[in-house]
Amino acid sequence: MKHWTLDDIDWGAFDAAKVDPELLKVTKAASMVEFNAGDYAAYLGEVFHDDPEFQAAAVEWAAEETQHGKALAKWSKLADPDFDFDARFARFEKTIQLPTGIDASVRGSRTGELIARCIVEVGTSSYYTAIADATDEPVLRQICHNIAADEIRHFALFRKTMDKYQPRERVNLISRLRVAIGRLAETDDDELSFAYYAANYGEDEPYDNARHGQAYRYRAYTYYRHRHVKRMVAMMFKAVGLKPTGALSRTIAGLGYLAVRRRARRLASAGV
């Protein structure tokens, strides 16, 4: 199926009256993280240096991710005409850099690398679905639905490639779970926090990982509903080789949603 382009977005339907200023903040941050995909493709090219088929797929994946960033940046500019994406992204790119000059995954194996990528695609698909469900602004809703669908396809790409490497590397379930949990924990790392800071604050305010990270997470958590977490957990189970449906998946999803809501309330009570 032909991939969508920016020309397929109904930009004329933009409704400034329906822009949520808090949602605008996280959308600006997301535009920079998505646009940075070229660096990830270069890293994957090094890790899979002898797999030209996957290298080509990774380049195509990065092009689609970069387009996500362009679409979100264009919407952010409509919502805030003063938003200078190029200048903001330059600040972000200068600080957030991926490892280069390596020939092995930081996850310990190619299977581990692909599991980590699956977790990212699952998380982003759920996140953009949550935003699409939360916003009344029609253009952002269309963009987020398109991105969420792309992330599902990307998950399928990484999962299919993982199925090729797992029989060779024989990464056991415990190790696969360790990678998945570790990648989930990285949602608290500098990339998202600094993207939020670079997108929404001037250089006169020093970056504070804890404060700006909390500000980002509070806003992001508020958009999740139980159905989003349930779907995310099911796909994560599938990525590591567990049954995606059943009592365990439902229990983890319920506990995960409670944890998200509790953390959002805790951040709110702290004045974030």
Side-chain angles (χ1 to χ4, degrees):
M1 184 174 65
K2 178 180 178 292
H3 185 254
W4 62 279
T5 70
L6 266 63
D7 291 336
D8 296 320
I9 302 299
D10 185 8
W11 300 104
F14 176 76
D15 188 343
K18 294 182 178 179
V19 172
D20 178 345
E22 297 304 315
L23 197 153
L24 173 60
K25 293 177 182 179
V26 296
T27 303
K28 289 177 178 178
S31 71
M32 291 192 286
V33 175
E34 295 283 347
F35 191 75
N36 200 37
D39 286 350
Y40 285 92
Y43 163 73
L44 290 173
E46 292 177 337
V47 172
F48 293 87
H49 53 86
D50 56 355
D51 188 340
E53 181 181 359
F54 179 69
Q55 285 181 320
V59 170
E60 184 176 345
W61 161 81
E64 294 184 3
E65 295 286 321
T66 300
Q67 180 182 279
H68 298 169
K70 292 178 179 178
L72 294 168
K74 184 171 181 177
W75 181 86
S76 297
K77 182 72 172 179
L78 288 174
D80 176 9
D82 292 329
F83 179 58
D84 186 343
F85 174 80
D86 291 338
R88 299 281 181 168
F89 182 76
R91 292 173 60 196
F92 172 75
E93 187 179 35
K94 184 178 179 180
T95 300
I96 303 299
Q97 297 180 346
L98 289 173
T100 57
I102 62 176
D103 59 3
S105 169
V106 296
R107 310 293 172 182
S109 67
R110 291 180 173 183
T111 298
E113 183 63 45
L114 292 162
I115 289 172
R117 294 314 315 168
C118 283
I119 298 302
V120 172
E121 303 303 327
V122 167
T124 51
S125 177
S126 299
Y127 180 56
Y128 287 113
T129 300
I131 291 178
D133 290 347
T135 185
D136 292 325
E137 204 295 301
V139 177
L140 181 60
R141 188 186 304 120
Q142 182 187 5
I143 292 170
C144 288
H145 277 311
N146 285 355
I147 294 177
D150 282 351
E151 306 297 25
I152 294 297
R153 288 192 300 101
H154 297 163
F155 170 86
L157 164 68
F158 293 123
R159 173 66 194 276
K160 179 181 178 181
T161 308
M162 184 187 72
D163 288 343
K164 180 174 73 173
Y165 282 98
Q166 168 61 8
R168 308 177 193 176
E169 298 180 326
R170 298 176 180 269
V171 179
N172 62 44
L173 177 61
I174 297 301
S175 297
R176 297 197 302 270
L177 285 170
R178 186 178 296 117
V179 169
I181 293 170
R183 187 61 188 86
L184 278 174
E186 289 174 19
T187 57
D188 286 348
D189 69 7
D190 254 358
E191 183 180 30
L192 289 169
S193 300
F194 193 83
Y196 181 82
Y197 162 76
N200 294 289
Y201 295 87
E203 294 187 31
D204 56 326
E205 176 167 337
Y207 172 59
D208 184 325
N209 174 267
R211 185 164 68 84
H212 294 113
Q214 287 176 348
Y216 167 78
R217 287 187 288 276
Y218 167 69
R219 286 162 179 81
Y221 291 162
T222 59
Y223 303 116
Y224 281 97
R225 298 296 178 262
H226 182 266
R227 63 183 179 276
H228 305 132
V229 178
K230 181 180 179 181
R231 183 166 175 264
M232 181 167 57
V233 169
M235 293 185 67
M236 287 179 178
F237 270 43
K238 186 176 181 180
V240 299
L242 292 173
K243 184 180 178 181
T245 58
L248 180 59
S249 177
R250 290 194 299 271
T251 300
I252 296 298
L255 293 173
Y257 178 66
L258 288 175
V260 167
R261 302 308 297 169
R262 186 179 300 115
R263 195 169 185 187
R265 288 195 299 269
R266 186 179 301 121
L267 290 169
S269 64
V272 173

